Amino acid sequence: MVFVKLFHVFPIVFLFIICISKISKASRAEFVTCGTMLKIMNTDLRLRLHSHDVKYGSGSGQQSITAVDVSDDHNSHWLVRPAMGETCKRGSPIKCNTNIRLQHVATKKNLHSHYFSSPLSGNQEVSAYGDDGGEGDSGDNWTVVCNNDYWRRDTPVKLKHIDTAAYLAGSGRTFGRPISGQGEIVGVTSQYGAYTDWQAMEGLFVHPSDLLPHQAAIHTEL
């Protein structure tokens, strides 16, 4: 009787182990997807992209974009949206070289750039722009530059501004009052310049609604 009971139990345990193994593999292969809300960190400066309802005192006078070293600030959340005039299926992985917008969750404005000088370093200004519904203009569009097929959560990417061809970067400089200690975020002309790598960090990641071809045997949910 004991042997019979074990015979029935072991297949269940074996299937459970296989299931856990597949879930573990899936968690290591997750991607940033359309509709994801996340924080992104500059890998060199170890600072997270940030915004707040504080306007620049020079340049465009638009809402400022900075970077902070704390991980639990709600003003560092960004929503991955399709570029203006484009669409993407909620939950679909973002392919490399895809055009996107990053909408600041707290203020509804979009990560933006244009030909104004940044206040501290004199590079290209990066600001937050758009109306209360999150609609701005073509200056809100960025290209995800990466070497994989898709934007992986565990691999840095670069963000290239479409209108001006500048790359999102930190300048290494910090602001004084009223945003003391926060880092300046700028656009630079070369992707090989300092502080141009960004990695997905904390967030609410929307799972792909369809598996990628090489994930046919991987389940992301129990």
Side-chain angles (χ1 to χ4, degrees), residues 14-179:
F14 182 69
L15 289 174
F16 179 77
I17 292 172
I18 291 176
C19 185
I20 292 297
S21 175
K22 288 181 177 180
I23 292 169
S24 177
K25 289 178 182 178
S27 67
R28 292 197 299 270
E30 287 180 340
F31 302 88
V32 175
T33 59
C34 184
T36 284
M37 184 179 72
L38 80 169
K39 297 177 182 178
I40 58 174
M41 183 181 71
N42 187 284
T43 58
D44 294 312
L45 296 171
R46 311 302 292 180
L47 299 175
R48 286 162 175 77
L49 190 68
H50 183 88
S51 193
H52 37 229
D53 192 14
V54 176
K55 294 179 171 54
Y56 286 123
S58 62
S60 68
Q62 293 176 2
Q63 183 172 304
S64 58
I65 296 288
T66 61
V68 296
D69 61 359
V70 294
S71 61
D72 59 352
D73 193 317
H74 73 280
N75 278 318
S76 299
H77 280 117
W78 299 86
L79 178 66
V80 180
R81 304 176 64 201
M84 191 173 186
E86 299 182 16
T87 61
C88 67
K89 185 178 180 181
R90 179 178 170 81
S92 60
I94 301 296
K95 292 182 178 180
C96 291
N97 300 313
T98 292
N99 301 330
I100 64 166
R101 283 178 291 177
L102 288 174
Q103 183 182 36
H104 188 239
V105 173
T107 64
K108 307 302 182 188
K109 297 188 184 299
N110 302 307
L111 186 70
H112 181 91
S113 194
H114 39 216
Y115 292 115
F116 285 92
S117 294
S118 64
L120 300 183
S121 62
N123 285 293
Q124 185 169 304
E125 181 190 276
V126 175
S127 65
Y129 179 74
D131 59 24
D132 292 339
E135 295 306 314
D137 59 28
S138 63
D140 303 339
N141 295 334
W142 300 78
T143 301
V144 179
V145 180
C146 47
N147 296 321
N148 302 303
D149 291 334
Y150 296 89
W151 181 0
R152 295 183 58 93
R153 290 171 55 182
D154 59 0
T155 306
V157 301
K158 298 177 189 292
L159 293 169
K160 184 178 182 180
H161 189 243
I162 296 176
D163 280 0
T164 66
Y167 290 86
L168 185 71
S171 71
R173 301 195 181 190
T174 56
F175 287 98
R177 298 173 119 190
I179 48 177

